[in-house]
Amino acid sequence: MAMNDANGSRWRAQPDWRRLGPLAAGTLLVLLGAFCAWQTWLIADENAAAARVQQARDQAAQQLAQVVAAQHATVAKAASALDPTLLQGDRAALLAALHAQLPQALQLDVYSGNLDEVLHANFREFGYAKAAQLMGAQAEDGLPPMQSVSHGAGDRRLSLVLPLGPPQRAQAWLWVELPFAPVRQAFEAVSPAAGRLDLRQGDARSDMRILSNGSPGAEAEVEARAVPGSGFSVAAALPVAFIVLPRSWPLAALLALAGIGGGLYLLWWRLRRRDVVPAEPDIDIEEFQSSRQATRAAAPPARPAAAPPAPAARLTSTVAVDPVIFRAYDIRGVVGSTLTAEVARLLGQSIGTLMREQALTEIVVGRDGRLSGPELAGALADGLRAAGIDVIDLGAVPTPVVYFATYHYGTGCGVAVTGSHNPPDYNGFKIVVGGQTLSEDAIQDLYRRIAGNALEHGGEGGLRQVDVLPDYLERIVSDVQAERRLKVVVDCGNGIPGAVAPQVLSGIGCDVVPLYCEVDGTFPNHHPDPSDPHNLEDLILAVKQTGADLGVAFDGDGDRLGVVTKAGEIIYPDRLLMLFARDVLARQPGATIIYDVKCTGHLKGQVLAAGGSPLMWRTGHSLIKGKMRETGAELAGEMSGHFFFKERWYGFDDGIYAGARLMEILAGDLEERTPEEIFATLPKGVSTPELKIELAEGEHYRFMEKFRAQASFGDATLITIDGVRADWPDGWGLVRASNTTPVLVLRFDADNAAALERIQQAFRVQLRAVDPALKLPF
């Protein structure tokens, strides 16, 4: 670059690129060559690594086959040692003899050779999985396969059916449960090398994982090895290798040699020419020196050098952030009051700071259809970017689509800016970081970071807009299909599901009649909350007027589902969960099914009857998802209408996907029953919807503390994991503090009206003992 001195003479001030260029190019080529050499090693090792993992898979399958054969032999030996006359004698004596021969058995029973008592049993009480195993044994040629059954979290057993008497014509069938420990020990004794081994229930195509051994980050392999003599298979998951070059090690090696060889030659050439004469100046050097001396003589005295600027002080926010908006499983407040754009920006910085600590760099952000959504989502993104996080802006989408995008784009992080089912002046944030939905202390930690000004700032995170809705639609439509066309009215209450739900249900094969599907953040027709029966009145009328098969409704952000029949009956979510559980357990026997404390008492028996493991848990979408991760549950649901499918889906709450799965079940009924006929198979008593008592902000929590301390319900069983639930043999009642709005939530369920009134009266007495002025809605 040419510049002028004080006298107007030109001189050259530029780097000597003839010397630096080859050095830089040579260094870059060496680095590229080294990278290619590393890729060569990875490519060469990939096949060997795959072979090691597959060898471990085959070894595990072989060892498990030996264990299964040994267990079969033990049971067969015990059966053959029986006195044949016992088969025609007293059943109690036969069971006693079997117990003596098989002291290790955890449970055993004997059934007739024609299995009449099984064929005519009530499968809900007898157990679907057990009945299927017994009846399947009649068709087996040789020893029936050994299966795995679950008796709750952590208690897994082996089950086996064996004929008693001549193998060609069994006089009786022995059903026995044995400890699972030998299978577990044999499986875990095999090293998976650098990959992972999965023990699955079912054939080689099954995805029901029982045990896992090795790296959780390994990529699953399609092919699995069946374990002979059992219903198990072993799948190998291959180690992940970061390979970007074509998977040809000779090509990668050639690129490595070319890069390293070319780079070293350039460096050697530059070193040989290090004494070459540099570039000539633009002016005569003596003239330039003379002019500079004259300039120095005429110049004023030099000023003292200025001190370097001090480091920028840490920014301190003067915005008051109300801690009340940081609730149990999300953040929610009144727009313009407790929730402003500046609060959203600080929240973005706080989330970004948490992500930086976990080495997470990218997040998806979406918003519902509320009028305040664009401003709050933009401010949130600004805060995230200030913390150095790259933001993927999804625009206006349902909350489940935000969750889907965290998987689809591999971020593991997302924020849905949504007020959910709250009034139009509310808004809030549902947050996922590192694959986990934040709740309770994790949400309070975000507030502590803001209050303590422990926030990252000065970052320059990127921002890009994407349209993920086509991918979400394709993912559902490619997996879920209605085998016969059902006519369904879809009521979105002017919430954001109106932009997606009709297309999803139409795409799986339904005839859709849209109702209030235009997105309008003022919710001009009715509030988008399907848990309130008043909000379903228009849907019930529309179903009757159009002659539809049924109607479905969604809340403001699309993560909850409501259902009504042609006759106007509301099918409450706990009964829907029974139907979903039957469907899932038909493919995943023994799976854990989670439900919240507001669900009917009939649900536990229905899950057990379908061969599942029921588990009651606290209300709250983030709390349910955390329990699902902990237990490996395949399905969960809440009375509020949240449904969480892990089987065939991702485990997050998605009202739209749940609606599609419901249509698949109803339309796929082999007897082609109407939806009403199918719903009639779900037991129901006399129950109330969710009843609410409004209190001042925070007062509902203080009320529950007093109620929990002094309430007394006699001989009822009390469950206090979330509020107070009192269970009697013929019904139950519940009162708990909502974590989204300042209300007490109550629900009652009983076998008959008399029992319901008795239970409600017991709660009236206890509630008014705490606060005589309390206005009760029942």
Side-chain angles (χ1 to χ4, degrees), residues 57-197:
R57 175 200 61 193
D58 295 343
Q59 180 185 353
Q62 182 180 6
Q63 291 188 195
L64 288 172
Q66 294 172 357
V67 171
V68 168
Q71 296 288 342
H72 270 293
T74 300
V75 177
K77 180 180 179 181
S80 64
L82 290 174
D83 184 350
T85 61
L86 289 176
L87 298 177
Q88 307 297 329
D90 183 16
R91 181 174 179 274
L94 176 59
L95 288 174
L98 285 168
H99 274 293
Q101 293 291 331
L102 294 169
Q104 74 275 29
L106 301 175
Q107 186 174 347
L108 56 81
D109 211 337
V110 174
Y111 300 95
S112 63
N114 57 14
L115 294 178
D116 275 348
E117 63 269 61
V118 178
L119 293 172
H120 297 91
N122 182 341
F123 288 172
R124 296 177 186 173
E125 298 177 359
F126 188 84
Y128 287 95
K130 181 177 178 181
Q133 189 175 8
L134 281 162
M135 290 186 289
Q138 290 182 312
E140 294 290 336
D141 184 13
L143 290 177
M146 185 172 289
Q147 304 285 345
S148 166
V149 295
S150 174
H151 284 259
D155 183 14
R156 187 168 289 280
R157 302 177 182 179
L158 296 174
S159 64
L160 173 65
V161 178
L162 203 67
L164 297 178
Q168 296 78 10
R169 186 175 181 82
Q171 295 176 260
W173 292 93
L174 168 63
W175 182 81
V176 58
E177 286 187 355
L178 300 169
F180 190 70
V183 170
R184 182 186 298 274
Q185 292 167 1
F187 176 75
E188 294 179 347
V190 178
S191 172
R196 188 184 75 243
L197 298 178

Side-chain angles (χ1 to χ4, degrees), residues 595-614:
Y595 56 97
D596 76 330
V597 295
K598 294 184 291 184
C599 288
T600 175
H602 293 290
L603 186 51
K604 179 178 180 180
Q606 286 291 301
V607 173
L608 289 171
S613 177

Side-chain angles (χ1 to χ4, degrees), residues 513-716:
V513 179
L515 177 65
Y516 308 145
C517 289
E518 303 81 11
V519 180
D520 185 340
T522 65
F523 309 129
N525 293 291
H526 66 71
H527 198 56
D529 181 4
S531 67
D532 185 344
H534 296 296
N535 296 325
L536 298 175
E537 292 174 354
D538 289 355
L539 177 61
I540 292 172
L541 180 61
V543 171
K544 292 180 178 179
Q545 289 181 339
T546 61
D549 295 294
L550 77 163
V552 295
F554 303 99
D555 69 336
D557 66 333
D559 57 10
R560 296 195 293 144
L561 172 69
V563 176
V564 302
T565 68
K566 181 183 296 186
E569 180 187 7
I570 299 173
I571 307 299
Y572 287 114
D574 50 1
R575 294 182 69 211
L576 287 176
L577 186 58
M578 298 177 193
L579 192 61
F580 289 142
R582 290 179 188 174
D583 179 60
V584 169
L585 290 169
R587 292 180 295 275
Q588 305 289 346
T592 298
I593 310 295
I594 298 176
Y595 56 97
D596 76 330
V597 295
K598 294 184 291 184
C599 288
T600 175
H602 293 290
L603 186 51
K604 179 178 180 180
Q606 286 291 301
V607 173
L608 289 171
S613 177
L615 176 63
M616 181 186 293
W617 193 236
R618 300 168 59 192
T619 294
H621 68 95
S622 56
L623 306 180
I624 293 286
K625 281 178 275 195
K627 199 64 175 178
M628 290 184 73
R629 287 193 300 272
E630 176 187 334
T631 60
E634 294 289 340
L635 173 69
E638 295 182 282
M639 185 59 196
S640 59
H642 289 268
F643 295 100
F644 311 75
F645 285 87
K646 180 64 173 65
E647 193 244 7
R648 295 167 54 190
W649 197 236
Y650 301 94
F652 55 75
D653 43 332
D654 188 339
I656 300 171
Y657 178 77
R661 288 287 290 262
L662 176 63
M663 299 305 140
E664 181 183 61
I665 295 170
L666 298 178
D669 183 67
L670 296 178
E671 301 175 23
E672 294 193 358
R673 293 173 293 180
T674 66
E676 286 91 345
E677 291 172 333
I678 296 174
F679 291 140
T681 67
L682 308 172
K684 68 174 180 176
V686 182
S687 64
T688 68
E690 291 186 17
L691 306 173
K692 298 177 181 179
I693 302 175
E694 295 185 4
L695 296 175
E697 187 68 60
E699 183 61 29
H700 58 316
Y701 292 121
R702 290 186 286 271
F703 180 94
M704 282 307 306
E705 290 177 4
K706 296 177 184 179
F707 188 81
R708 189 179 290 107
Q710 67 185 59
S712 175
F713 290 97
D715 59 349

Side-chain angles (χ1 to χ4, degrees), residues 295-319:
T295 301
R296 290 193 186 99
R303 296 179 180 177
R314 192 174 188 87
L315 296 178
T316 302
S317 173
T318 58
V319 177

Side-chain angles (χ1 to χ4, degrees), residues 3-12 281-296:
M3 302 182 65
N4 294 330
D5 65 9
N7 293 325
S9 300
R10 298 180 66 251
W11 57 282
R12 177 175 295 164
D282 282 347
I283 60 171
D284 182 85
I285 193 64
E286 293 182 358
E287 179 183 350
F288 169 73
Q289 290 174 341
S290 299
S291 66
R292 293 301 294 163
Q293 291 173 355
T295 301
R296 290 193 186 99

